[in-house]
Amino acid sequence: MDKPEDLNWVREQPDTPDPANDQTLATIRKFVRERRKADLLAALKMWDPLDVMQMLTRMRLKYARKLFQWLPANPSVRVIAELKPDFRSLLMQESTQQQLTDILDGMDPEDAAETLNSFPDDIAELLLDNLPDASGVAEAAAYSHDTAGRVMARRFVALPETLGVEEAVAAIRSEADRIRKIFTLYVVDADGRLVGTVGVGPLLLAQKDQTLGEVMATDFIAVAADTDQEEVLRIARNRDMRTVPVIDGDGRLIGRITPKQLNRIAVEEASEDMMFMSGVSPESEADDSILRIVKGRLPWLLAGLVGASVAASVVGIFEDQLAAAIVLASFIPITMSLAGNAGLQASAVAVRGLATGKVWEGDILWRLLKELVAALINGAVAGLVLGMLVLVASLFIEIEDPLNLVIATSLSLLCVTTLAAMVGATIPILLDKLGFDPAMAIGVFITSSNDVLGVLIFFLMATTFYLG
């Protein structure tokens, strides 16, 4: 049994291990050692959740802890516990709770807090009560989701500014087992307030008779516990920081954002932005139920339907113009497509600039001016190309008054491209100012609004220059 599809589990009675599962456990341990995460999860997703939980309670702790972290993080445990009495009874068993407590104890407090959220409230409380570091997990859970306080690590090295360099090096060595990687030493005053930082390299090169207060850097950047994690990532990138200290309202050091957590934030934010751009709820997961899929996508589809309906209504308003010159209908998809693409391009650049911190308060007007000039050039070129195509087509197809049609369509593309680009560049900035994720501007909102504006401008131009 060395293939994922060969893994199977015989349902066990409470506290009665079945020898038939021993080979399966051995194979799973082998997969964990070999880090065959994808193969293992592909096999386990076919299992009943009750069997998965039984398997975890039978495994040695170090393997169970790793596998538990691999399992998808979603509300399935909470839901399954409500729907399946057998699954809930297994969670309530003392042996299961002890195994889960041991697994959670080996995780960082912020990860443990996130995992506890997936369990039913009463079981989560029991597990929390049995955790040796219950206070740290409870403290992490107290902070809002996606904030520095929720994701920060509470293990760090902080020493008083009066301590000598030699003593500081000895202190770092003593903490090596507790903290795997130490990049920065934090210097605090007598009240625990952060007053400076010292890199490990400069510390080792300092004179032994110097104090930390003499060698520390005082131009450090720290974030408050309620700072949004996306802002933390932006600060870390702009200042090239490997770790970011977190302080409370009084300036006392309470944690740090590690490189691992910064990478995790980057992945989460990129995934969230991608969801927004696709018109999907950021909470959507690959293994969502049908009901959850519908709830996550239907609002966005309905929003797009509203936008499309408004655009269709605009077309209906100009029904007489279409009847008078049916050729105009050929240009509607061209106008809508160009408006949507121009808006998406400008909004994508704006969202990226906001995410990386490259869009500053003082240069917003300059950036919008650049977008305006670029949009005018793009619109002029697109209008010129379309006009040439219309003139060429008029040589082979009978088109009434082709010159005026060229003027109408070319001017409409110029105006549509310019307006769509300005809307796309402005809306993300406005959303950011209002405290919303600027990525929400991309997708349904920009596409629908620009479709409506594009169709309206096209018919106004056609009415003025072609049918007037």
Side-chain angles (χ1 to χ4, degrees):
M1 186 192 299
D2 194 22
K3 298 180 180 179
E5 58 269 21
D6 294 335
L7 291 177
N8 56 74
W9 187 263
V10 178
R11 181 68 55 81
E12 299 178 343
Q13 298 301 315
D15 300 322
T16 308
D18 192 321
N21 293 323
D22 291 344
Q23 183 58 44
T24 297
L25 290 170
T27 303
I28 292 176
R29 286 196 299 269
K30 179 182 178 182
F31 282 5
V32 173
R33 285 196 302 269
E34 296 175 353
R35 300 183 180 276
R36 294 172 61 178
K37 177 180 177 180
D39 289 341
L40 188 52
L41 294 185
L44 294 183
K45 74 177 182 180
M46 307 301 296
W47 287 24
D48 188 282
L50 179 59
D51 296 335
V52 175
M53 192 59 65
Q54 280 189 348
M55 178 267 295
L56 282 171
T57 61
R58 286 281 312 275
M59 294 190 70
R60 291 174 56 186
L61 183 57
K62 68 175 183 178
Y63 295 109
R65 184 177 294 155
K66 174 60 69 174
L67 180 55
F68 192 72
Q69 292 176 324
W70 283 358
L71 294 177
N74 54 50
S76 59
V77 174
R78 184 189 301 271
V79 174
I80 293 168
E82 297 295 333
L83 298 179
K84 289 194 173 186
D86 290 344
F87 188 74
R88 183 174 179 83
S89 65
L90 176 59
L91 291 177
M92 294 299 295
Q93 290 179 15
E94 185 176 348
S95 59
T96 301
Q97 292 182 20
Q98 183 59 52
Q99 180 77 346
L100 289 175
T101 299
D102 292 338
I103 291 173
L104 292 171
D105 185 41
M107 301 169 65
D108 292 331
E110 58 275 9
D111 293 333
E114 197 71 30
T115 303
L116 281 174
N117 289 335
S118 67
F119 287 94
D121 293 339
D122 54 345
I123 296 175
E125 291 177 4
L126 289 173
L127 295 174
L128 184 61
D129 290 340
N130 293 328
L131 280 175
D133 187 22
S135 59
V137 177
E139 183 181 351
Y143 292 106
S144 300
H145 187 65
D146 290 346
T147 61
R150 186 61 174 266
V151 301
M152 69 182 180
R154 288 159 180 79
R155 297 176 181 178
F156 53 86
V157 179
L159 299 174
E161 56 186 327
T162 56
L163 193 67
V165 168
E166 193 170 6
E167 290 83 356
V169 173
I172 291 178
R173 288 172 178 166
S174 66
E175 296 287 348
D177 293 336
R178 188 174 68 91
I179 304 177
R180 300 183 186 92
K181 295 181 180 180
I182 301 175
F183 301 102
T184 304
L185 174 67
Y186 298 111
V187 185
V188 296
D189 61 14
D191 296 321
R193 287 189 291 266
L194 183 63
V195 295
T197 61
V198 182
V200 174
L203 180 66
L204 296 175
L205 296 175
Q207 300 295 324
K208 294 183 179 180
D209 57 350
Q210 290 182 295
T211 64
L212 292 180
E214 294 173 333
V215 300
M216 69 182 184
T218 57
D219 59 341
F220 60 88
I221 293 290
V223 298
D226 59 354
T227 303
D228 186 87
Q229 65 176 22
E230 190 171 6
E231 178 64 20
V232 175
L233 181 63
R234 183 182 305 157
I235 292 172
R237 284 174 171 173
N238 290 343
R239 294 296 296 264
D240 196 24
M241 301 169 66
R242 300 193 69 177
T243 61
V244 181
V246 183
I247 57 176
D248 62 13
D250 297 322
R252 288 189 292 266
L253 183 66
I254 58 175
R256 64 187 178 119
I257 311 295
T258 66
K260 173 185 175 183
Q261 288 149 341
L262 288 173
N263 289 335
R264 181 184 301 176
I265 293 172
V267 171
E268 289 179 358
E269 293 299 329
S271 175
E272 181 178 291
D273 288 349
M274 186 181 297
M275 290 293 195
F276 276 132
M277 294 176 190
S278 304
V280 181
S281 172
E283 287 77 25
S284 299
E285 298 288 347
D287 56 351
D288 282 346
S289 64
I290 295 177
L291 179 60
R292 189 174 175 85
I293 292 173
V294 173
K295 289 174 62 178
R297 301 181 188 179
L298 184 59
W300 299 90
L301 293 175
L302 293 178
L305 177 62
V306 171
S309 299
V310 174
S313 300
V314 173
V315 175
I317 293 174
F318 294 93
E319 181 180 2
D320 294 339
Q321 287 82 349
L322 274 176
I326 195 64
V327 69
L328 295 177
S330 304
F331 296 93
I332 294 177
I334 298 175
T335 304
M336 295 176 67
S337 175
L338 200 67
N341 289 335
L344 287 175
Q345 288 174 347
S347 59
V349 173
V351 169
R352 179 175 174 81
L354 291 168
T356 58
K358 292 183 178 180
V359 175
W360 293 5
E361 185 81 25
D363 68 348
I364 289 179
L365 292 178
W366 167 241
R367 287 181 176 273
L368 291 180
L369 179 61
K370 288 199 302 182
E371 286 288 348
L372 175 61
V373 174
L376 286 170
I377 295 174
N378 289 337
V381 173
L384 181 62
V385 171
L386 181 61
M388 293 174 62
L389 292 176
V390 172
L391 290 177
V392 171
S394 67
L395 299 176
F396 305 95
I397 305 173
E398 184 178 352
I399 298 178
E400 183 179 352
D401 198 359
L403 185 58
N404 282 336
L405 181 61
V406 167
I407 295 174
T409 54
S410 298
L411 283 178
S412 67
L413 287 193
L414 174 63
C415 295
V416 163
T417 303
T418 303
L419 185 58
M422 295 309 296
V423 170
T426 305
I427 295 300
I429 296 175
L430 292 178
L431 289 176
D432 186 62
K433 294 295 182 185
L434 295 174
F436 297 100
D437 192 325
M440 293 176 63
I442 300 180
V444 175
F445 182 82
I446 290 292
T447 303
S448 298
S449 62
N450 285 336
D451 283 350
V452 174
L453 292 173
V455 171
L456 180 60
I457 291 173
F458 170 71
F459 277 108
L460 289 176
M461 291 293 177
T463 302
T464 302
F465 296 99
Y466 187 60
L467 301 174

